[in-house]
Amino acid sequence: MKKVFTMFTFVAIATTIFAQQPPNNGFESWPANNRNPTSWSTIESAAFEASPLAGALLTGKKFSSKETTAGNYVQGSTAVSIQSDSLDLSALGQGVRFIPGLLFLSKIVISLSGAGFGFEGAPFTGKPDFVKFAYKYTPVGIDTANFFTGLSKYNTTLDSSEFIAGAGEQLFSTGGNWDTLSLPLDYDLLIGGLTPDSVTMGFFSSGQNGQKGSKLWVDNVRFVYSNPNGVV
């Protein structure tokens, strides 16, 4: 019995170290205001964090939603959806602008000066081989959703972060059904051997041909480890 417990403990520790996953990757945890899944950011959470004025501009809009209806999630009992819409930013001197629904791991930073959006990475030290997630997408017209993720490492010489690996993909209509996408992470040949210190991950409900009303549901976001150090 003691040997079994010892081996189980070792595997559990190894999995914790090497098979690191995005936090709240099934979107089961939400704050009381339901503006964003815990550890993730949406247009709503970013706007209200930027200023009361930016938050007030969202009155009557729904760029993101907590999804709990059967058929709108694939894991647990909750998923998240993001939707494209237009927004009157006249109060900020920018007029009416089309804005895609955004879902980002960690933080979306909104610039009130007109520069748009910025994104912060989340702490991460794993080296996965694939990123995988479930989604369904109902675009308007020829719109496409988009996804990307990147692992990065801070370079003290350059005083900036460099991408070690990344993956990205356009997402097309799924006909109202859920689909699962698995993408390999492409590691840089020169610096891909470094251990990352952060991960950036984002979903957009619209692409270059963005249309109001295009909607993307996301659930069960996870990394897959198939390298010798990945105990999963």
Side-chain angles (χ1 to χ4, degrees):
M1 178 64 74
K2 185 175 181 180
K3 285 186 177 180
V4 173
F5 177 76
T6 302
M7 181 60 71
F8 173 80
T9 304
F10 169 76
V11 172
I13 292 173
T15 301
T16 301
I17 294 173
F18 296 112
Q20 189 177 358
Q21 295 295 342
N24 193 28
N25 58 342
F27 308 109
E28 298 297 308
S29 175
W30 292 67
N33 57 35
N34 283 340
R35 290 175 185 156
N36 57 293
T38 303
S39 300
W40 297 72
S41 290
T42 62
I43 291 291
E44 282 86 351
S45 65
F48 278 93
E49 186 169 329
S51 75
L53 172 60
L57 293 174
L58 297 179
T59 301
K61 298 292 182 177
K62 202 69 175 174
F63 287 94
S64 63
S65 298
K66 179 181 180 180
E67 299 286 350
T68 58
T69 304
N72 284 342
Y73 57 83
V74 295
Q75 171 190 285
S77 58
T78 309
V80 59
S81 66
I82 52 175
Q83 186 169 334
S84 304
D85 204 342
S86 57
L87 195 60
D88 187 354
L89 300 178
S90 300
L92 301 177
Q94 300 181 42
V96 177
R97 291 183 58 184
F98 170 82
I99 298 178
L102 301 178
L103 174 67
F104 259 76
L105 183 60
S106 192
K107 188 176 181 180
I108 301 171
V109 181
I110 293 181
S111 170
L112 300 181
S113 64
F117 305 100
F119 311 105
E120 294 182 0
F124 191 83
T125 57
K127 297 192 71 175
D129 296 278
F130 294 84
V131 60
K132 195 171 184 178
F133 58 88
Y135 76 99
K136 66 176 179 176
Y137 184 50
T138 56
V140 174
I142 59 173
D143 204 357
T144 59
N146 284 277
F147 162 81
F148 85 92
T149 189
L151 306 178
S152 57
K153 175 75 172 181
Y154 181 74
N155 186 316
T156 55
T157 302
L158 300 176
D159 193 25
S160 64
S161 290
E162 296 180 287
F163 278 109
I164 293 172
E169 189 78 1
Q170 281 186 300
L171 308 177
F172 298 90
S173 173
T174 60
N177 300 312
W178 283 92
D179 197 0
T180 298
L181 186 64
S182 181
L183 299 172
L185 272 81
D186 183 19
Y187 282 82
D188 189 289
L189 293 177
L190 296 178
I191 60 175
L194 299 176
T195 298
D197 54 28
S198 64
V199 59
T200 307
M201 183 180 292
F203 294 87
F204 301 78
S205 60
S206 284
Q208 187 174 1
N209 299 297
Q211 298 291 322
K212 179 178 178 178
S214 292
K215 189 171 183 178
L216 175 68
W217 289 257
V218 183
D219 201 2
N220 199 17
V221 181
R222 67 273 196 198
F223 287 121
V224 178
Y225 295 75
S226 57
N227 59 64
N229 293 325
V231 182
V232 293

